[in-house]
Amino acid sequence: MQTNKNQYILPDHRAEGKRNLNEPAEQKRFTLPAEYQSLGSGKTCCIRTYGCQANVRDGETIAGILQAMGFTVISEMEAADLLIFNTCAVRRAAEEHVLGEVGSLKTLKQKHPKKLIAICGCMAQEESVVEDLLKHYPQVDLIFGTHNLDQLPKLLANVINQHQRTVEVCSQEGSIIEGMPKERSRKYKAFVNIMYGCDKFCTYCIVPYTRGKQRSRYLDEIIAEVEEFKAAGGKEVQLLGQNVNAYGKDQGMEDGFTVLLKAVAETGIERIRFYTSNPRDYSFSTIEAMRDYPNIMKALHLPVQSGSNEVLRRMNRGYTREQFLKLVDDMKAVIPDITFTTDLIVGFPGETEAQFEETLSLVDYCRFDSAFAFVYSPREGTPAAAMEDDTPLAVKKQRLQRLNEKITQYARMNNEVYADQTVKVLCDGPSKNNPVVLCGYTESNKLVNFTSDTASEGDIVDVKITQVKSYTLDGKAI
Ligand code: SF4
């Protein structure tokens, strides 16, 4: 593979952090030029996706584009002609995992030099990661970022036809590209992007840099996607955005997320969920819409991150502990059977024992159904990475353990109410751990493993719960 460093387009955190909020994003349509339509004929590709639902959805687009180019998508990495690592940058541990996997491919690449290796996603938007890849991972042939998925055919052509190591990571987001091919990972559940990027700049978070400024898709495009999915037999849509409650603000919409949510509910699709909510942008009208439409699931993921006002201020979360608790109380008053899950960061720089205990007491108050709790992971280029942090890692790990014990205690307690109840489960097919058992999720987003002689993937099944565990339920279809 030849290298011409002058042609590399490298990430630039300064440019990534810039915002022009006066200009809403333009919309363009994807086309695949004829010259790329058979570039992958007779070749196989394997896509490894890490991280959040947005990345999973990007992985579906990458699969769709590659299939349109003639590639066959397979799951065995070693057998594929093209390997794509669709990466996540939210925590250092996730990055190290990917770098370890890519590192272990060096010998494979030496044996099979025609095998191509590509890195994309959020890690590709990080200056230091790309520098490291270029210096120490000669086996990587192509690096592209989150803003130019639509350019994948052109970039691959450069690698395949010109034998050029290619790096193109745009630091400015550009247009919203509609009509990109997609290969959904599930037939009955769809991730539907409603927006891209984020302008909130929480001080610990790399996403506003790696995913760019907030750009909402046009409402009619989203509704058309939901309707098409429903017409093909789809049952559940998961509306995706880094901060869904701010949907439409960049287009000047008033209360845009509620308007969108109602429009999606009116399509009659059976189940609607949305991720991720930011408490600071929640409007009461959204809560009312959740109450009024039975097809909007009453299970909410509402990340709080900390129970301490001082820590929330340093995180730039834009709400206080009291405002968060009021939001939870308001929702419970309007929707008594609503369930909550959350995200929590332990050991944010300067977090004291007393501040951590405020997080514990918030968990006691909210009694979340489950929570993703992690030790704070500094992300280079974010303000929090430069904050003083004198809490030893061992103390942070101990706090995490105490928090996780509490979370599990409430998860179990909340699950107890399902004992002997009958719940509606959207069947995902056989369980990964036990293929003779089926699995799926309740309306309240509980994972149920169940037996049935007749149910199959995509069915909504009445299941009687026979055993309650901390994070799953067992049952039998009735
Ligand atoms: S709202 Fe979410 S995605 Fe945006 S900066 Fe904060 S944590 Fe990151």
Side-chain angles (χ1 to χ4, degrees):
M1 198 66 52
Q2 297 165 19
T3 51
N4 183 350
K5 291 183 183 165
N6 295 333
Q7 287 180 2
Y8 291 172
I9 300 176
L10 299 168
D12 173 353
H13 273 327
R14 240 169 228 260
E16 285 173 352
K18 283 199 179 132
R19 293 292 182 273
N20 180 353
L21 298 178
N22 297 324
E23 259 180 43
E26 253 188 282
Q27 182 183 294
K28 288 188 181 157
R29 292 211 89 75
F30 177 83
T31 51
L32 181 62
E35 65 200 277
Y36 305 137
Q37 287 176 11
S38 55
L39 195 70
S41 289
K43 296 191 178 84
T44 54
C45 65
C46 173
I47 304 159
R48 281 271 183 276
T49 292
Y50 303 82
C52 67
Q53 292 100 331
N55 251 25
V56 174
R57 182 64 190 79
D58 281 354
E60 293 177 348
T61 299
I62 293 167
I65 292 175
L66 292 172
Q67 283 185 340
M69 295 171 69
F71 284 94
T72 303
V73 180
I74 60 170
S75 53
E76 302 81 38
M77 209 158 68
E78 304 242 325
D81 298 306
L82 166 66
L83 298 177
I84 297 200
F85 289 85
N86 180 24
T87 63
C88 168
V90 169
R91 274 178 287 279
R92 181 65 197 161
E95 291 188 352
E96 279 165 1
H97 182 77
V98 171
L99 292 174
E101 279 221 62
V102 177
S104 70
L105 294 171
K106 205 168 181 175
T107 323
L108 187 72
K109 175 82 177 177
Q110 278 162 354
K111 269 196 215 155
H112 306 280
K114 285 197 174 156
K115 214 176 256 294
L116 300 179
I117 300 175
I119 311 274
C120 65
C122 288
M123 274 172 75
Q125 294 288 149
E126 292 190 282
E127 289 170 5
S128 58
V129 170
V130 173
E131 211 180 293
D132 188 22
L133 287 168
L134 291 176
K135 260 195 213 154
H136 304 296
Y137 296 79
Q139 64 271 42
V140 174
D141 304 289
L142 169 63
I143 303 173
F144 60 102
T146 58
H147 302 315
N148 55 349
L149 288 190
D150 59 309
Q151 296 300 311
L152 177 57
K154 183 193 84 178
L155 301 174
L156 263 180
N158 201 43
V159 176
I160 294 171
N161 296 337
Q162 309 302 323
H163 308 288
Q164 285 277 355
R165 191 182 209 199
T166 302
V167 182
E168 189 172 305
V169 183
C170 309
S171 299
Q172 296 286 289
E173 43 297 299
S175 311
I176 292 177
I177 312 292
E178 292 292 352
M180 289 208 270
K182 54 188 170 289
E183 180 60 28
R184 293 204 191 277
S185 38
R186 287 194 180 276
K187 196 169 166 212
Y188 301 97
K189 282 183 179 176
F191 291 127
V192 175
N193 288 316
I194 64 168
M195 63 210 291
Y196 306 98
C198 180
D199 295 329
K200 287 292 181 270
F201 289 98
C202 300
T203 54
Y204 53 84
C205 184
I206 194 76
V207 168
Y209 307 89
T210 60
R211 293 267 167 183
K213 80 169 182 180
Q214 176 177 316
R215 292 98 69 206
S216 300
R217 287 180 71 198
Y218 291 174
L219 190 139
D220 52 353
E221 293 283 352
I222 298 168
I223 298 303
E225 185 175 337
V226 173
E227 275 174 343
E228 184 191 291
F229 175 66
K230 178 173 173 259
K235 300 275 173 72
E236 177 176 308
V237 288
Q238 305 191 6
L239 308 178
L240 298 185
Q242 304 297 343
N243 174 16
V244 291
N245 302 89
Y247 170 80
K249 286 193 176 177
D250 49 303
Q251 292 177 3
M253 281 175 86
E254 274 292 312
D255 208 8
F257 184 59
T258 308
V259 172
L260 171 72
L261 198 53
K262 287 181 175 176
V264 175
E266 295 285 343
T267 65
I269 186 94
E270 295 204 41
R271 289 183 171 195
I272 303 162
R273 303 187 193 277
F274 48 87
Y275 305 97
T276 298
S277 289
N278 186 320
R280 81 199 258 185
D281 283 316
Y282 231 99
S283 76
F284 197 75
S285 63
T286 299
I287 305 174
E288 290 174 320
M290 291 175 73
R291 173 197 64 198
D292 294 342
Y293 287 89
N295 54 349
I296 304 176
M297 299 296 98
K298 279 63 176 158
L300 189 64
H301 187 66
L302 194 63
V304 62
Q305 308 299 4
S306 170
S308 153
N309 278 337
E310 172 53 22
V311 175
L312 289 171
R313 187 188 63 73
R314 281 186 285 120
M315 287 177 167
N316 190 32
R317 288 292 289 174
Y319 53 83
T320 62
R321 170 191 176 97
E322 291 72 26
Q323 285 166 331
F324 182 86
L325 295 182
K326 181 174 183 313
L327 182 59
V328 168
D329 286 344
D330 285 351
M331 287 185 182
K332 283 185 178 167
V334 176
I335 311 167
D337 59 344
I338 193 166
T339 61
F340 292 97
T341 54
T342 197
D343 296 335
L344 294 157
I345 295 174
V346 174
F348 188 73
E351 180 194 67
T352 62
E353 174 63 20
Q355 287 164 350
F356 169 68
E357 283 175 12
E358 288 184 89
T359 298
L360 292 180
S361 73
L362 182 135
V363 171
D364 281 331
Y365 186 91
C366 296
R367 300 171 169 229
F368 298 106
D369 273 37
S370 75
F372 299 103
F374 294 97
V375 168
Y376 165 73
S377 171
R379 305 287 57 221
E380 200 180 314
T382 61
M387 290 180 189
E388 202 176 324
D389 186 8
D390 52 9
T391 311
L393 183 61
V395 173
K396 293 182 180 185
K397 285 187 174 170
Q398 207 184 34
R399 285 181 190 165
L400 179 65
Q401 194 185 341
R402 286 160 65 197
L403 181 58
N404 275 332
E405 279 165 15
K406 204 173 262 299
I407 291 165
T408 303
Q409 173 198 331
Y410 287 117
R412 173 86 200 194
M413 203 184 280
N414 289 331
N415 271 2
E416 293 290 351
V417 300
Y418 292 90
D420 297 325
Q421 300 294 309
T422 299
V423 289
K424 291 207 175 301
V425 176
L426 173 52
C427 179
D428 281 342
S431 151
K432 272 187 203 146
N433 300 332
N434 181 358
V436 298
V437 171
L438 296 167
C439 68
Y441 285 84
T442 64
E443 294 184 340
S444 55
N445 218 17
K446 300 280 177 190
L447 176 60
V448 181
N449 294 305
F450 65 100
T451 52
S452 166
D453 295 333
T454 53
S456 57
E457 186 183 346
D459 292 343
I460 293 184
V461 188
D462 285 324
V463 176
K464 173 104 185 261
I465 300 304
T466 52
Q467 195 183 357
V468 169
K469 298 173 182 166
S470 296
Y471 289 105
T472 58
L473 302 168
D474 288 348
K476 192 173 184 325
I478 54 172

